[in-house]
Amino acid sequence: MELKKAIQSTFWSASVLVLGLIPASTSAQNNTSYWQQHVDYKMEVDMNVEDYNYTGKQELVYTNNSPDTLNQVFYHLYFNAFQPGSEMDVRSLTIKDPDRRVMDRISKLEPDEIGFLKVNTLTQDGTPLTYEVAGTVLEVSLAKAIAPGESTTFNMDFNGQVPVQIRRSGRNNAEGIALSMTQWYPKLAEYDFEGWHADPYIAREFHGVWGDFDVKISIDSEYTVGGTGYLQNTEIGHGYEEPGQKVEKAKKGKHTWHFVAPNVHDFTWAADPDYIHDKLTASDGTVLHFFYKDNKDIIENWKNLQPKTAELLAFYNENVGPYPYDQYSVIQGGDGGMEYAMCTLITGERSFGSLVGVTAHEMAHTWFQFLLASNEAKHEWMDEGFTSYISDEAMNVVMDEKKPNPQAGNYASYFRLATSGIEQPQTTYADRYEMNAAYGASAYSKGAVFLAQLGYIIGRENLDKTIKTYFDEFKFKHPTPNDVKRVAEKVSGMQLDWYLVDWTQTTNTIDYAIKNVEEVDGKTQVTLERKGLMPMPVDFYVNVKDGDNAEGMNESYYIPLRMMRAEKPNPFPNMERTQLADWPWAYPTYTFTIDKPLSEINAMTIDAQQLMADIDRTNNSWNQPAE
């Protein structure tokens, strides 16, 4: 067996290991003055399923918990993106590699196919306000400034048109789902310690204010509705009734569905007249809802998906933190897979493995986006990357994939990015990437490698503790990259500023090499070289001859990185490890001695686990020349 395979097998044989939490006192913004705004929405919407127009009334109580006096507010009008000439349209027409789901489709929409949100009236505590529509953002001048600690009430009448399904939201998607209602209402923008986040909707994802939602949706009675929140009027039937409860089906005409959702930062719903609605209670008591088309070709897969979803929930509860709501819904809709509050919309005409995979990924977003809720416009890798990491770990267990390293695909994708010439730092604003391919690989793959490689640096047990402590400390708090780093530092006792900066704020790469091996005075002298700009600690493995054992015996050498100011635990306690002197980053080479003649060494390698994202692994190994 090759040395690296033997060590990989030892390292990855167990499933994800999560130990108990350690005491920590980290808080968002790293001080006791943390604050966030609060919203309470009450909305009533009336949907016309013939022309896909709807009218709405919104009452929004906004509480200013900031230390600042606010003289203006901003709303997102996301549906305005689906109009010829919008920023999303123009960006898709001009980017080098447009999203295949968008391409030039927005530019070709007819007036009855576009999306829009129009604000007809808006008042603040009864006083009419002046406002201006700027694409997908409503700019509002306040009648009265909102002082710190004060609340104000906005009342709005609005109307909208659901666009033809193109990106995330829309009507009549490719699988025939009538309504995928995401980002469908005027939504107040987030204001935090950095100021307003009134970002235009160009293609990327979202940021929002936590609050309570009370939503009533009037729609033709043959439609079944599912999404965010708890249904208040279960007497309408459509599968919401409890087992054994007889419910008279809704009669022709319209019915109003009433949902409430506590402490969420968005509200999503989907509706179709042909939904099958199933329920399953998971081991933690969470009621899992499944809405999917009455299509004989997919029913078996959707039935089999349900126990797998319960297993995924249990995995995330154990390895990240407890899911805090009473229900979660998996809904056929949208244009692929997208996470929302208490639910996800996924396309459903897939193989079973793909159906479980997309559910695993979108469900994992609940923890990293809808409970931690980092700002995806600025730090998209914190959500997409961490979600990719944990969902790949979950799939390896739930689907019994038996992958030696569940993150291998993310590493391979990152290597392609790092050597492509198109990589930009992860601090790039999500909409500012020159190419969609660079955004995707950076957010998803490089973001996942951030965590996997952190496990290499601080040790797997410390990584598992870090993930759980990070979630426990920062759920409902909109954490920033520094918050992740500080948790990892407190868990591990190591200094990690260098890692956060190099990995996320630069495109520096890692490349360590075995530069020279020779025998000197009966001992083996090894010289390593740092060829890349990014520093790392080095795990070095040696396979030595061991009598009649043809495969030999493995030994390890650990070279700490000086600026870490600490050393990680031995990843293989049963393997002898020699800790060598620190390697200061500025020194391009490092020489050490193995107390054995070269003739007794079979092979040597840097990072046999392949957890260090070394972009050139061809120079990481040395093998005894064949006789």
Side-chain angles (χ1 to χ4, degrees), residues 300-345:
E300 182 179 1
N301 280 349
W302 275 82
K303 296 292 185 184
N304 292 335
L305 171 67
Q306 295 170 28
K308 290 297 183 183
T309 304
E311 290 181 53
L312 290 167
L313 175 65
F315 184 95
Y316 299 139
N317 280 342
E318 178 183 356
N319 292 287
V320 186
Y323 180 71
Y325 304 109
D326 294 335
Q327 73 179 47
Y328 184 85
S329 299
V330 181
I331 305 170
Q332 186 181 3
D335 66 339
M338 182 64 194
E339 71 279 2
Y340 299 100
M342 301 170 65
C343 66
T344 180
L345 266 60

Side-chain angles (χ1 to χ4, degrees), residues 421-441:
I422 66 170
E423 184 183 10
Q424 295 170 251
Q426 286 182 311
T427 49
T428 303
Y429 225 77
D431 281 314
R432 309 290 195 274
Y433 281 86
E434 187 173 358
M435 298 182 68
N436 279 319
Y439 164 82

Side-chain angles (χ1 to χ4, degrees), residues 153-166:
T153 301
F154 298 106
N155 284 94
M156 175 190 295
D157 287 342
F158 66 94
N159 68 289
Q161 179 169 284
V162 186
V164 170
Q165 178 79 49
I166 292 179

Side-chain angles (χ1 to χ4, degrees), residues 310-529:
E311 290 181 53
L312 290 167
L313 175 65
F315 184 95
Y316 299 139
N317 280 342
E318 178 183 356
N319 292 287
V320 186
Y323 180 71
Y325 304 109
D326 294 335
Q327 73 179 47
Y328 184 85
S329 299
V330 181
I331 305 170
Q332 186 181 3
D335 66 339
M338 182 64 194
E339 71 279 2
Y340 299 100
M342 301 170 65
C343 66
T344 180
L345 266 60
I346 61 173
T347 47
E349 296 176 3
R350 302 166 174 262
S351 68
F352 180 64
S354 176
L355 191 64
V356 178
V358 70
T359 302
H361 182 86
E362 304 308 334
M363 190 179 202
H365 274 297
T366 291
W367 282 260
F368 291 109
Q369 175 53 14
F370 272 93
L371 293 173
L372 287 162
S374 51
N375 184 349
E376 286 190 279
K378 298 182 66 175
H379 313 301
E380 62 280 355
W381 60 273
M382 293 177 65
D383 171 41
E384 296 296 355
F386 294 5
T387 292
S388 296
Y389 172 86
I390 202 67
S391 61
D392 287 343
E393 297 290 328
M395 284 291 287
N396 203 44
V397 173
V398 170
M399 296 298 282
D400 194 26
E401 294 176 333
K402 295 183 172 62
K403 293 180 178 178
N405 179 359
Q407 306 303 323
N410 289 316
Y411 277 87
S413 176
Y414 164 69
F415 292 145
R416 290 191 294 271
L417 173 68
T419 57
S420 68
I422 66 170
E423 184 183 10
Q424 295 170 251
Q426 286 182 311
T427 49
T428 303
Y429 225 77
D431 281 314
R432 309 290 195 274
Y433 281 86
E434 187 173 358
M435 298 182 68
N436 279 319
Y439 164 82
S442 179
Y444 291 76
S445 302
K446 189 176 181 181
V449 174
F450 176 92
L451 280 186
Q453 187 170 244
L454 181 62
Y456 168 81
I457 294 167
I458 67 176
R460 181 58 181 263
E461 292 183 7
N462 281 332
L463 171 64
D464 295 337
K465 292 177 186 178
T466 293
I467 291 171
K468 291 196 72 173
T469 305
Y470 171 56
F471 177 79
D472 185 60
E473 292 283 335
F474 288 98
K475 58 184 181 290
F476 299 108
K477 287 185 178 179
H478 297 305
T480 66
N482 191 64
D483 295 320
V484 179
K485 182 207 76 172
R486 291 293 291 132
V487 170
E489 287 181 332
K490 292 183 179 186
V491 167
S492 68
M494 301 177 189
Q495 300 302 309
L496 298 170
D497 199 52
W498 60 274
Y499 182 56
L500 180 67
V501 170
D502 270 74
W503 191 253
T504 68
Q505 299 179 27
T506 79
T507 56
N508 292 345
T509 56
I510 301 163
D511 184 10
Y512 282 83
I514 299 176
K515 184 177 184 179
N516 188 58
V517 176
E518 61 181 332
E519 185 171 314
V520 178
D521 297 330
K523 298 180 180 181
T524 299
Q525 189 176 87
V526 180
T527 298
L528 305 181
E529 181 180 13

Side-chain angles (χ1 to χ4, degrees), residues 35-37 62-70 146-149 191-192:
W35 53 267
Q36 61 175 273
Q37 308 294 63
Y62 182 60
T63 302
N64 179 18
N65 293 316
S66 82
D68 307 320
T69 297
L70 304 181
I146 313 172
Y191 182 87
D192 62 17

